Every structure is written in C-alpha cells, then in structure tokens.
Amino acid sequence: MIDMNVYKKNVEETVSFLQGKIKRPPAVVIILGTGLGGLIDSIEVEALLPYEEIPHFPRSTVPGHHGNLIFGTLRNRDVVVLQGRFHYYEGYSTRELTFPLRTLSLLGADTLVVTNAAGGLDPNYRPGTIMVIRDHLNLIGENPLRGANIDDWGPRFPDLSEPYDKKLIDATLQCAEKLHMTNVITGVYVAIPGPSLETPAETRFLRAAGADAVGMSSVPEVIVARHAAMRVLGLSAVANFNDPDNFAPILLDDIIRAAEEIEPALQELIKEVLKVL
Ligand code: HPA
C-alpha cells in the first residue's frame, strides 16, 4: 500500500525545490504527448529542468518523449510545460505518474492543457483530426486517487460530471474556426493500459463503449487535475485510424510521424487558446 505521508512529503519537497527556481508561479500546465514536443520552441524559457535534476520526479523512458520541465511564457501567459510524460505501461503506478502534475498544481497552476497522440475510432475521423476531448473513459484499471486521501489537496470523492471545462472547449472550437481549421471536433477519449495496441475485437468494443479515440495516457492526469480543482482542456492528435473491419497494423513510428504532421496545427491552436484563457 502506498504511504501517502511519504508521497506528500516528497511532493512538498519538490514544490519547495521548484519555488527556488522560478520568479512567479505558473498559471497553466501544458503536457506534451508523443511527437508533440515542439511547442517549446515558441516559449520564452525562464528555467529548463531535466527531469533527472528534479527531486522525486519520475524519468521518461519512451522514444519520442523528451524529459524536461520548462517554465516560461507563451503568448504572455506563465506556463510550465512537461516535455515528455509518464505512462502506466512504463511500469509507473498512476499515483507515481501524476506526481509532476500534483506538484505543479500545488505550485499554483490552475489550468491544465493535456495533449496526446491517439488512435481514431470514429469512422469519420481521418489522420490529421484534432479531437477536443469532451469526456473520457478510464479503462487503465487504476485510479491515481486510490489510497488515503489528502483532504488539503481535494475531496475523497471528486465529482467528474464535467471533467473537461465546457468554456475551454467552446473557446477552443471558436479559435479553430478563427484559424480556419476544419479538422477540429469534440469527442470521447478512452485510456487503455497498453503497451500492446488494441486487437480488432477490442477496437470494436471500445467504439461500442462510446469512445471516439483511444490512447494510453492523459486520463490519470485529468483525474488528479480535477481533484485539485484545475480547469482542464484535453487535445488529441488523431494519428491513425483503427477500423475493426479492415484492421491495419498500428506502428509507433507511424504514430510519431503522423503526430508530428499534426503538431503545427495543434501548436497554433494551443497558442490561440492561451490568448483567451
Ligand atoms: N491505440 C492506442 N494508443 C494510441 C493509438 C492507438 O491506435 N494511436 C496513438 N496512441
């Protein structure tokens, strides 16, 4: 069983460490998913900290994922970017992999923008679609809040009736329209544990369960963000399309390449949204 006294002490130590590195607390946390690390080129960097140099931080082990925590400004907003995230399939518990987000919420951030590369399940999606996450299914089989609750951090039974902020979703759709992006739609994201990709039968099952896109991340972070009363915006770059009746191999290299192709549009969208946040 996880010792939450130790976890809390570690989080507090990391918060103090990070406070010593920055002048102002960040307002917005941005988590960059597979193949989506390039947004940092637009950031006026105040501090760049490799994960290895941050006490108690997990380490990124996945190709396509860097491992840097970057504080700075983007479109005049104080942001902190997780360039590279942690996944359940790497062996981390969801409690462990959400350690950075918990730390950043306690540092003062009140908004989370979470991005990922995902597989499309809605037959209308094509690679290149940007899905604004409207709701999610947690099929990872673990909840990052399991175990003793720290009441100072949030309620024992956090409400998830509106996991993704409706105002942020609407603002994002408006920004997409303004930017003449025709491939931005809302949908339901399902998180699976991975690392194996879905079988055709699983793909059929996930679609029948109401999901529009599938991936192996984001949901644990969103649960912790909502526990911490942060506003959440979730964006999926639909990198591949999984048709159970015409199933093609799903290959990581293809996913990374497709995500990189979507990235410029996703970056533009995030920057535009930051202006109106
Ligand atoms: N399945 C699961 N995770 C993914 C996929 C997929 O098809 N594409 C990108 N991440």
Side-chain angles (χ1 to χ4, degrees):
M1 198 154 110
I2 183 158
D3 185 337
M4 283 307 290
N5 289 323
V6 173
Y7 190 89
K8 182 166 183 278
K9 187 176 130 294
N10 289 350
V11 165
E12 286 166 356
E13 278 174 13
T14 307
V15 170
S16 301
F17 171 85
L18 294 174
Q19 276 166 341
K21 300 279 177 194
I22 53 172
K23 291 197 227 57
R24 288 188 309 273
V28 183
V29 180
I30 304 174
I31 302 179
L32 298 176
T34 305
L36 304 172
L39 185 73
I40 53 128
D41 295 337
S42 309
I43 291 179
E44 246 174 84
V45 177
E46 183 191 347
L48 184 151
L49 307 169
Y51 291 156
E52 312 85 77
E53 294 175 14
I54 306 174
H56 310 301
F57 249 51
R59 312 255 180 280
S60 209
T61 67
V62 194
H65 280 261
H66 307 261
N68 294 306
L69 186 67
I70 299 160
F71 292 90
T73 52
L74 182 60
R75 294 282 153 106
N76 289 323
R77 308 284 315 200
D78 291 317
V79 301
V80 56
V81 178
L82 282 152
Q83 189 191 26
R85 66 139 64 79
F86 310 100
H87 305 81
Y88 183 71
Y89 65 72
E90 292 174 77
Y92 294 116
S93 69
T94 51
R95 184 72 89 167
E96 288 170 326
L97 70 88
T98 53
F99 183 94
L101 183 67
R102 178 65 73 183
T103 302
L104 297 173
S105 84
L106 292 169
L107 203 58
D110 64 3
T111 302
L112 169 66
V113 177
V114 62
T115 69
N116 56 59
L121 301 171
D122 181 329
N124 296 313
Y125 289 5
R126 289 292 161 260
T129 298
I130 294 174
M131 187 181 90
V132 184
I133 306 177
R134 183 174 70 226
D135 202 346
H136 72 223
L137 293 163
N138 180 16
L139 296 192
I140 289 182
E142 208 189 85
N143 191 298
L145 304 177
R146 180 168 171 267
N149 187 56
I150 296 175
D151 295 337
D152 288 347
W153 290 359
R156 167 76 291 188
F157 298 106
D159 169 58
L160 286 186
S161 56
E162 192 187 320
Y164 300 85
D165 189 87
K166 283 209 177 77
K167 285 204 189 101
L168 290 185
I169 293 173
D170 288 345
T172 305
L173 294 175
Q174 278 166 21
C175 289
E177 210 174 296
K178 189 172 159 208
L179 296 168
H180 307 292
M181 293 181 180
T182 52
N183 53 352
V184 181
I185 37 79
T186 72
V188 175
Y189 178 89
V190 58
I192 56 153
S196 53
L197 277 303
E198 304 76 67
T199 64
E202 286 165 347
T203 299
R204 212 170 273 117
F205 167 79
L206 296 174
R207 180 70 186 140
D212 300 305
V214 52
M216 303 174 188
S217 69
S218 302
V219 166
E221 292 104 314
V222 171
I223 292 172
V224 167
R226 293 303 299 142
H227 184 245
M230 296 172 80
R231 299 185 295 173
V232 178
L233 174 66
L235 300 169
S236 292
V238 180
N240 51 289
F241 173 65
N242 304 340
D243 175 359
D245 298 322
N246 194 5
F247 213 65
I250 310 169
L251 305 173
L252 180 66
D253 285 348
D254 295 344
I255 292 172
I256 293 175
R257 203 174 314 114
E260 283 170 353
E261 275 172 32
I262 301 169
E263 185 183 28
L266 193 68
Q267 275 192 37
E268 281 317 299
L269 192 57
I270 291 173
K271 287 185 214 164
E272 196 66 30
V273 172
L274 278 179
K275 286 204 278 188
V276 300
L277 266 186

